[in-house]
C-alpha cells in the first residue's frame, strides 16, 4: 500500500463511522403524541420499547396550545404521530396534516373509539373529542395505540409493547370497577352535572349522569357565554336543584362563580382535572390519578348537604 493510502484509509473509515452514527441519530424511531393525556397512555404502552415525545405541556388547554417550530419538525421526523382528533387540538392540526403529507404515519385515536356527538343545541351535533372521561373507551384507545406502534414503528419490540398494553388494560378495568362503586354512593336524583364547558358527556353516558348544562357553550373553551346563556343556565340549575358546578382546574372559575351567584341558590364550585394532566405531584400527574381525583371530587360535590 502506498504511503498516502496508509494514512487515508483510517480517515475514510472514521468518516464513514461518524456519518453512520449521524444518520442513525437523525432517523431514530420515535412516537410523537400531541396531548399529555394520550402521552401518558402511550408511555404506559410503549415503556422502553420506543422513544415517546409529548408536545402538550402539563396544565395546558388542548384547544389553545400550539407547537414551536422545533416541535413541528419533530412531527415530520416521527415514525408515528398519535393525536386525539375530533377537533380537539385546534391549533396543532395543521402541523399534523403537514406531517401526514410528508409521509408520516398517524393515528387519530378519537376517531377509533366510537365517538358520541354533542347535541345540536350544544355544538351543532359535532363529535365530542373528550372520550377519556370514559375508561372503557380509553381501553379501546390503548389498543389503537398499541397496534399503531407495533404496525408502524420499524424494529420495535412488539412483545414488549403488547405486554405493556395488557398491564395497562388491567389497570383500566380496575379503575372502572372502582368508579362504579364510588358513583353508586350518589343518589340517582343528584346525578346531575354542570361544568365549565361540555367535557363529561362520555362519563355521563357510561355512569348514568345527566349533563344539565355548561357555562361555556359548545364543545370548545374558545367560545364565550352570553348574558342570556348564563341566565338560561341559571334557571335550569334552579329547576334541577343542582348542588355543585364543576370547573376545570387549569381554567379560571370566575364564570362558574358568577353563574352560581345568578342561580340564586347555594351552589359550590368544585375543581376537576378535565382537559390536561398536571406535573407529577400536582394532583393529576397520570391519567389514572386524574380519574381517581375527579371521581372523588364529583362524589363529594354531589353528596354534600
Amino acid at each position: 500500500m502506498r504511503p498516502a493510502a496508509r494514512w487515508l484509509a483510517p480517515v475514510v473509515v472514521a468518516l464513514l463511522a461518524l456519518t453512520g452514527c449521524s444518520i442513525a441519530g437523525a432517523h431514530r424511531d420515535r412516537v410523537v403524541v400531541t396531548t399529555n393525556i394520550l402521552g401518558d397512555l402511550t408511555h404506559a404502552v410503549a415503556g422502553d420499547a420506543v422513544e415517546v415525545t409529548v408536545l402538550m405541556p402539563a396544565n395546558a388547554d388542548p384547544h389553545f396550545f400550539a407547537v414551536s417550530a422545533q416541535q413541528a419538525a419533530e412531527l415530520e421526523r416521527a415514525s408515528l404521530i398519535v393525536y386525539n382528533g375530533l377537533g380537539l387540538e385546534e391549533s396543532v392540526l395543521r402541523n399534523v396534516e403537514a406531517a401526514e403529507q410528508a409521509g408520516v404515519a398517524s393515528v387519530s385515536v378519537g376517531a377509533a373509539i366510537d365517538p358520541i356527538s354533542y347535541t345540536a343545541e350544544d355544538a351543532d351535533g359535532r363529535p365530542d373529542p373528550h372520550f377519556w372521561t370514559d375508561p372503557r373507551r380509553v381501553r379501546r384507545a390503548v389498543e389503537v395505540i398499541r397496534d399503531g406502534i407495533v404496525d408502524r414503528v420499524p424494529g420495535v419490540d412488539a412483545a414488549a409493547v403488547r405486554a405493556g398494553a395488557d398491564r395497562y388494560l388491567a389497570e383500566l378495568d380496575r379503575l372502572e370497577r372502582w368508579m362504579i362503586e364510588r358513583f353508586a354512593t350518589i343518589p340517582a336524583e343528584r346525578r346531575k352535572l354542570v361544568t365549565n364547558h361540555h367535557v363529561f358527556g362520555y362519563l355521563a353516558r357510561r355512569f348514568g349522569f345527566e349533563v344539565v348544562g355548561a357555562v361555556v357553550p359548545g364543545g370548545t373553551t374558545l367560545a364565550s357565554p352570553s348574558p342570556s346563556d348564563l341566565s338560561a343556565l341559571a334557571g335550569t340549575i334552579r329547576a334541577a336543584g343542582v348542588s355543585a358546578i364543576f370547573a376545570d382546574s387549569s381554567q379560571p372559575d370566575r364564570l362558574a362563580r358568577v353563574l352560581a351567584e345568578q342561580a340564586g341558590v347555594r351552589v359550590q364550585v368544585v375543581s376537576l382535572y378535565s382537559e390536561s394532566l398536571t406535573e407529577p405531584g400536582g394532583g393529576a400527574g397520570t391519567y389514572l390519578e386524574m380519574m381517581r381525583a375527579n371521581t372523588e371530587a364529583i362524589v363529594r360535590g354531589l353528596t354534600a348537604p
Side-chain angles (χ1 to χ4, degrees):
M1 182 180 293
R2 287 180 294 180
R6 280 197 298 270
W7 65 261
L8 185 58
V11 173
V12 172
V13 172
L15 287 173
L16 287 172
L18 179 60
T19 303
C21 290
S22 298
I23 291 174
H27 295 279
R28 190 159 121 183
D29 295 321
R30 73 172 64 187
V31 178
V32 176
V33 189
T34 55
T35 72
N36 55 43
I37 293 175
L38 285 180
D40 183 58
L41 303 183
T42 304
H43 275 296
V45 171
D48 296 327
V50 64
E51 182 178 353
V52 177
T53 298
V54 181
L55 302 181
M56 178 179 157
N59 299 307
D61 185 330
H63 299 281
F64 276 103
F65 94 100
V67 299
S68 65
Q70 180 180 353
Q71 289 175 317
E74 288 179 353
L75 282 167
E76 298 196 7
R77 291 195 300 266
S79 294
L80 175 69
I81 298 171
V82 175
Y83 70 106
N84 194 94
L86 304 181
L88 183 75
E89 309 98 321
E90 294 160 82
S91 299
V92 182
L93 184 58
R94 65 182 180 86
N95 303 103
V96 173
E97 291 172 343
E100 290 172 334
Q101 292 169 6
V104 179
S106 67
V107 57
S108 170
V109 177
I113 51 79
D114 186 25
I116 64 175
S117 296
Y118 295 113
T119 61
E121 59 269 21
D122 290 335
D124 300 322
R126 294 194 308 271
D128 183 347
H130 308 95
F131 68 85
W132 58 84
T133 63
D134 175 4
R136 195 173 301 177
R137 279 186 167 84
V138 172
R139 248 191 145 272
R140 176 60 185 146
V142 166
E143 294 170 345
V144 168
I145 293 168
R146 175 200 63 200
D147 294 345
I149 294 173
V150 169
D151 294 342
R152 302 300 183 89
V153 178
V156 72
D157 185 342
V161 173
R162 292 190 179 102
D166 287 345
R167 285 192 295 271
Y168 200 74
L169 291 173
E171 291 277 5
L172 291 173
D173 289 342
R174 285 191 286 272
L175 172 68
E176 184 179 8
R177 289 193 297 269
W178 175 81
M179 290 176 69
I180 291 171
E181 292 173 1
R182 294 297 295 130
F183 287 146
T185 65
I186 304 173
E189 67 274 12
R190 304 192 74 171
R191 292 189 172 204
K192 299 173 182 178
L193 296 174
V194 178
T195 57
N196 253 27
H197 80 288
H198 288 285
V199 69
F200 286 98
Y202 289 92
L203 180 144
R205 183 170 295 196
R206 176 65 61 203
F207 297 104
F209 287 83
E210 176 188 359
V211 178
V212 174
V215 179
V216 179
T220 170
T221 52
L222 302 181
S224 298
S226 67
S228 62
D229 289 331
L230 292 176
S231 177
L233 185 53
T236 301
I237 289 173
R238 285 193 296 271
V242 171
S243 59
I245 298 173
F246 298 98
D248 189 280
S249 62
S250 66
Q251 301 168 11
D253 62 1
R254 179 182 59 83
L255 285 177
R257 294 190 183 281
V258 168
L259 181 58
E261 293 168 3
Q262 286 196 14
V265 293
R266 185 171 177 267
V267 180
Q268 60 178 321
V269 178
V270 180
S271 291
L272 296 180
Y273 305 102
S274 61
E275 296 271 27
S276 176
L277 301 183
T278 65
E279 296 284 358
T286 68
Y287 170 75
L288 296 173
E289 185 180 8
M290 177 183 77
M291 294 301 290
R292 292 186 187 107
N294 284 346
T295 299
E296 293 293 2
I298 290 171
V299 170
R300 286 195 305 270
L302 297 183
T303 57

